[in-house]
Amino acid sequence: LKYTEDLVKIKKLHNQVQEAKGNIRVFCRCRPLSKEEISSRYSTVVDFDAAKDGDLGVLTAGSTKKFFKFDRVYTPKDDQVDVFVDASPMVVSVLDGYNVCIFAYGQTGTGKTFTMEGIERNRGVNYRTLEELFKIAKERNETFTYSISVSVLEVYNEQIRDLLANSPTSKKLEIRQVSEGVHHVPGIVEAKVENIKEVWDVLQAGSNARAVGSNNVNEHSSRSHCMLCIMVKSKNVINGECTNSKLWLVDLAGSERLAKTDVQGERLKEAQNINRSLSALGDVISALANKSSHIPYRNSKLTHLLQDSLGGDSKTLMFVQISPSENDLGETLSSLNFATRVRGVELGPAKKQI
Ligand code: ADP
């Protein structure tokens, strides 16, 4: 019983801290210059002098430095463990019954997949989060029983594809509200998982299905949102209390604007859908920050799916991914402006001239 009381106390404290800080955190991560950028002698426009305080400087045209403020700034030297350490309190929240959404936003090639999925032998937030989820669930097993299941979805051209279904393209999936604050996609596969090995198999199956039917997997992934949904049912074996919570882990489509001349036919439709869903995400978060009476969740499949996990009691963590290269300056500023809007903190124009 003492253990449960302690957990309740910790949960209260954790939430007080969260409330004081607000429920949306924005972390900025900058990748290293690529080999091609180094050989093209592109310079770095990002400065990390005050990164430890969450400040990021960007050298804009005319040699003016613009400053941005985030909850955390990762330099290219920070590794996957540094990033996960800051994301890990979210795992505790999910097991405590809160809905959580962690997503990576940014231009294609800035490290969204690196942060979320990671690479072989250097796993990202998805794998580490699930590993931690099972670890804590095991530590709590005298007081709680947990049942965990995973769905893997892709949103492409405003259509939801279930990547765990036998034939992912055949079914038209829609979102339904099943009760107050609970949305569901009927017919979707929810794979029950008991350990991290089983999760890994599910993630692999999802990523194999993603490749089916596309000539260029990288291009396809940069134009679709990849969404993992982890559903956690918990039961307190001492007092019988049950909770249901969701953790969304989302690798968003690339935020870059295509040059007008490049965009025709199918590409135009894709670009419009990406633009629409990313703007809808920004609008939902702004409406939440402004405590607006109407939150426009229904404006895109992305925000509609995330509805239970954006706003209310839920906790949101955004990674804004950027490139350090002068060549990407326009997209970098546009991503940082989007992230600033999400964080709800507008800093004035240039603070310092160099
Ligand atoms: P995105 O998903 O945004 O299109 P990727 O995750 O595919 O971008 O990253 C593009 C390339 O940059 C990949 O080769 C990736 O391994 C590399 N990369 C991204 N972020 C980092 C980082 N923090 N450290 C080292 N390499 C990185």
Side-chain angles (χ1 to χ4, degrees):
L1 197 63
K2 171 84 176 64
Y3 184 59
T4 317
E5 281 169 5
D6 283 349
L7 274 181
V8 169
K9 262 191 228 154
I10 292 168
K11 183 172 162 179
K12 257 196 196 144
L13 193 68
H14 186 73
N15 286 322
Q16 278 164 3
V17 173
Q18 281 282 345
E19 261 158 40
K21 288 184 181 169
N23 279 336
I24 296 181
R25 300 264 164 293
V26 182
F27 295 171
C28 176
R29 188 176 197 188
C30 182
R31 67 156 166 78
L33 277 173
S34 68
K35 280 198 193 102
E36 295 74 33
E37 288 160 348
I38 292 170
S39 64
S40 303
R41 297 180 190 276
Y42 286 133
S43 61
T44 292
V45 288
V46 182
D47 104 43
F48 301 101
D49 295 349
K52 64 172 182 4
D53 302 320
D55 292 314
L56 183 86
V58 180
L59 195 59
T60 62
S63 298
T64 312
K65 219 179 239 185
K66 187 162 166 48
F67 282 85
F68 295 89
K69 178 114 195 126
F70 296 109
D71 297 290
R72 186 87 165 79
V73 169
Y74 301 102
T75 75
K77 292 200 183 101
D78 289 315
D79 64 18
Q80 304 285 60
V81 176
D82 297 319
V83 170
F84 181 66
V85 164
D86 296 315
S88 61
M90 294 293 193
V91 179
V92 179
S93 294
V94 178
L95 289 172
D96 285 342
Y98 290 91
N99 290 340
V100 169
C101 176
I102 303 181
F103 65 88
Y105 176 99
Q107 178 191 4
T108 298
T110 51
K112 293 182 297 297
T113 308
F114 187 86
T115 292
M116 299 306 289
E117 258 180 49
I119 51 173
E120 225 184 331
R121 290 178 212 283
N122 203 1
R123 301 280 169 228
V125 168
N126 295 356
Y127 186 83
R128 290 172 198 267
T129 299
L130 286 153
E131 197 175 42
E132 183 78 358
L133 199 75
F134 283 105
K135 188 174 141 239
I136 302 179
K138 197 167 167 206
E139 283 167 12
R140 292 180 172 187
N141 71 3
E142 280 179 19
T143 320
F144 294 93
T145 55
Y146 291 104
S147 151
I148 299 173
S149 47
V150 181
S151 295
V152 187
L153 304 176
E154 180 187 72
V155 176
Y156 173 70
N157 270 344
E158 283 300 291
Q159 285 195 349
I160 304 168
R161 200 154 77 112
D162 180 354
L163 296 183
L164 299 182
N166 286 333
S167 51
T169 44
S170 62
K171 233 185 304 168
K172 200 165 174 6
L173 297 169
E174 291 301 330
I175 307 155
R176 299 242 172 86
Q177 177 161 0
V178 285
S179 59
E180 177 76 34
V182 183
H183 290 76
H184 190 66
V185 183
I188 198 175
V189 175
E190 294 179 2
K192 198 163 181 326
V193 284
E194 307 251 333
N195 52 52
I196 191 70
K197 164 81 179 65
E198 287 180 8
V199 172
W200 185 242
D201 293 343
V202 169
L203 297 188
Q204 286 302 109
S207 107
N208 293 341
R210 207 174 181 203
V212 172
S214 70
N215 317 329
N216 184 331
V217 181
N218 286 342
E219 270 189 17
H220 178 78
S221 8
S222 70
R223 291 180 206 140
S224 55
H225 309 300
C226 182
M227 310 179 68
L228 301 184
C229 183
I230 323 298
M231 287 141 290
V232 179
K233 284 183 197 301
S234 98
K235 183 171 182 189
N236 182 322
V237 291
I238 295 163
N239 64 16
E241 195 184 80
C242 294
T243 60
N244 281 301
S245 48
K246 271 187 208 167
L247 163 66
W248 282 102
L249 296 163
V250 184
D251 184 352
L252 291 170
S255 59
E256 61 277 5
R257 295 291 166 103
L258 299 172
K260 280 201 177 84
T261 46
D262 285 351
V263 186
Q264 288 156 7
E266 198 52 24
R267 289 295 309 271
L268 178 64
K269 191 171 154 202
E270 278 175 351
Q272 285 169 335
N273 280 322
I274 295 170
N275 192 9
R276 168 172 160 193
S277 56
L278 294 179
S279 313
L281 181 63
D283 293 342
V284 161
I285 297 176
S286 300
L288 288 167
N290 296 332
K291 304 206 179 343
S292 208
S293 59
H294 172 68
I295 313 291
Y297 291 110
R298 300 283 178 108
N299 284 354
S300 74
K301 288 282 189 292
L302 174 72
T303 46
H304 200 174
L305 277 168
L306 296 178
Q307 175 156 359
D308 309 347
S309 304
L310 291 173
D313 263 350
S314 57
K315 299 174 204 286
T316 306
L317 174 57
M318 168 181 181
F319 286 101
V320 55
Q321 299 281 150
I322 56 166
S323 146
S325 169
E326 60 178 318
N327 194 36
D328 291 318
L329 178 64
E331 291 298 339
T332 299
L333 288 173
S334 132
S335 294
L336 293 172
N337 284 330
F338 180 92
T340 301
R341 177 169 164 233
V342 163
R343 194 168 179 264
V345 178
E346 293 278 352
L347 285 188
K351 224 166 51 176
K352 197 162 76 174
Q353 304 283 324
I354 58 159

